[in-house]
Amino acid sequence: MESGLIRVMIADDHPLMRSGIIAVLSSNPKFSVVAEAEDGDSAIELYQRWRPDVTLMDIQMPGLNGIEVTSAIRRIDPGARIIILTTFGGDVQVARGLSAGAIGYVLKNLARNALIDYIVAAHAGRRLLPPPVAASLVNSFQLDKLSKREIEVLRLVGDGNSNQRVADHLGLSEDTIKAHMKSILQKLDARDRTHAVTIAMRRGYWEN
């Protein structure tokens, strides 16, 4: 094996995305793509088999998502260098990915040369974040977080349910749901229920 060659694994359920990344990396003699995974379970299995230097990890995959897989791989190999690969830059998801042990977070529309720079940086143990992602991460520490129950309530509201229907679904009183919604609006600085749902989705409290 060539000295200094960076061995890369790609975990993404979209074949076109994988083939596009492979095309970019194959044109550069610094890289060797050693494995491709199309779901979370196979990503863990292939990581154990190949032990790549850097893994590009899609955040949304069948079965285990990218954040869950990142956590699992880091338990297997605390030195694993994983870059979360996604179209979504919501600050909550960014924080979760980094907390899971990812060394970087790359948006899929990143220019090919920039992608190479991020992989090289990760291989060297340096953390790089695209400016929009870094800015959203800073914002996440400045904003109040929704509780697990508040996220549950807001997701049901986002599905078009009334307070009473949400209460029935969760086995709570309508007054409790109203109290949760009041707290949610305050935390997100939202004008109304629809605005709150929009903000929560943009920040990545749940995936579309």
Side-chain angles (χ1 to χ4, degrees):
M1 182 181 298
E2 181 183 347
S3 176
L5 194 68
I6 300 175
R7 301 165 65 255
V8 179
M9 183 176 87
I10 304 167
D12 194 300
D13 63 329
H14 293 95
L16 288 178
M17 178 57 65
R18 295 199 306 272
S19 62
I21 295 173
I22 290 171
V24 170
L25 299 184
S26 296
S27 65
N28 190 309
K30 291 181 180 179
F31 304 102
S32 173
V33 178
V34 296
E36 298 177 59
E38 60 183 16
D39 58 52
D41 290 331
S42 63
I44 295 171
E45 178 185 347
L46 289 171
Y47 183 88
Q48 290 178 293
R49 183 186 307 171
W50 292 98
R51 296 292 174 129
D53 299 312
V54 177
T55 298
L56 298 177
M57 182 74 65
D58 187 16
I59 202 168
Q60 297 186 43
M61 292 186 292
L64 298 175
N65 64 39
I67 293 173
E68 293 169 329
V69 175
T70 296
S71 294
I73 288 176
R74 291 277 294 182
R75 287 194 295 271
I76 295 167
D77 178 9
R81 290 167 181 172
I82 300 171
I83 299 174
I84 297 290
L85 184 65
T86 183
T87 57
F88 194 67
D91 55 75
V92 175
Q93 293 288 14
V94 173
R96 287 173 180 165
L98 297 179
S99 295
I103 196 169
Y105 205 105
V106 171
L107 301 180
K108 289 185 178 181
N109 60 3
L110 198 69
R112 57 183 293 173
N113 290 338
L115 175 60
I116 288 174
D117 290 342
Y118 278 73
I119 295 173
V120 171
H123 182 249
R126 292 186 289 114
R127 172 170 288 171
L128 286 181
L129 298 174
V133 171
S136 71
L137 185 61
V138 170
N139 289 339
S140 74
F141 292 110
Q142 299 172 343
L143 297 169
D144 289 330
K145 301 295 190 297
L146 299 184
S147 69
K148 183 176 180 180
R149 176 64 82 186
E150 287 169 342
I151 295 170
E152 195 173 18
V153 167
L154 192 55
R155 289 193 68 167
L156 289 169
V157 167
D159 288 337
N161 294 296
S162 65
N163 285 344
Q164 186 60 62
R165 290 181 65 183
V166 174
D168 292 343
H169 181 84
L170 298 177
L172 303 171
S173 71
E174 185 176 6
D175 286 342
T176 298
I177 300 303
K178 289 179 179 178
H180 280 310
M181 284 306 306
K182 181 178 180 181
S183 173
I184 290 166
L185 294 176
Q186 290 175 340
K187 286 184 176 182
L188 298 181
D189 193 24
R191 297 184 302 271
D192 52 35
R193 296 156 66 94
T194 301
H195 190 209
V197 170
T198 301
I199 293 171
M201 291 179 66
R202 184 175 67 243
R203 289 188 58 197
Y205 274 108
W206 64 81
E207 300 169 8
N208 293 330

